Amino acid sequence: KLAGGVGLRRGRRDAKELLTGEALDFWRVEELVRGERLRLRAEMKVPGRAWLEFRVAPDGSGSSYYQRAVFFPQGLSGRLYWLAVLPFHGFIFTAMARNIAKAAEALPADAEPESAAA
């Protein structure tokens, strides 16, 4: 709690459904368009403001998956923080994309999306 803010002490209201405004670990669901987009705002202690965004778009016979991290640093400490974590983001986001794609591919073709990140 001292290092990261509210963090993992919060539970989820429902393990399969998200709603706008809900807490999700270190994040708050800021925008949710089912089957299209999920934007999370960071609630952890960082020197700036941060978001994670996940999008899915139809792509011919399948879908394309997009993810991005947005960070607006606050002062020099924010810029130094971003430079320090930047090398790790390549590993983290590559693994995250792979795991999300694998989970999506495992769903039945006619399955209704339960959350925007699925």
Side-chain angles (χ1 to χ4, degrees), residues 26-28 40-46 48-52:
F26 293 101
W27 306 92
R28 176 80 47 190
L40 304 173
R41 184 183 71 245
E43 290 192 332
M44 63 194 93
K45 293 181 182 180
V46 293
R49 297 175 22 206
W51 291 264
L52 277 178

Side-chain angles (χ1 to χ4, degrees), residues 27 38-40 42 44 49-55 65-72 81-82 85-86 88-90 92-93 96:
W27 306 92
L38 171 64
R39 185 171 47 233
L40 304 173
M44 63 194 93
R49 297 175 22 206
W51 291 264
L52 277 178
E53 185 173 276
F54 306 92
R55 291 186 304 117
Y65 169 76
Y66 305 91
Q67 63 185 27
R68 72 179 183 151
V70 177
F71 183 70
F72 290 109
Y81 166 81
W82 185 250
V85 299
L86 193 57
F88 302 104
H89 281 172
I92 293 167
F93 289 127
M96 186 186 309

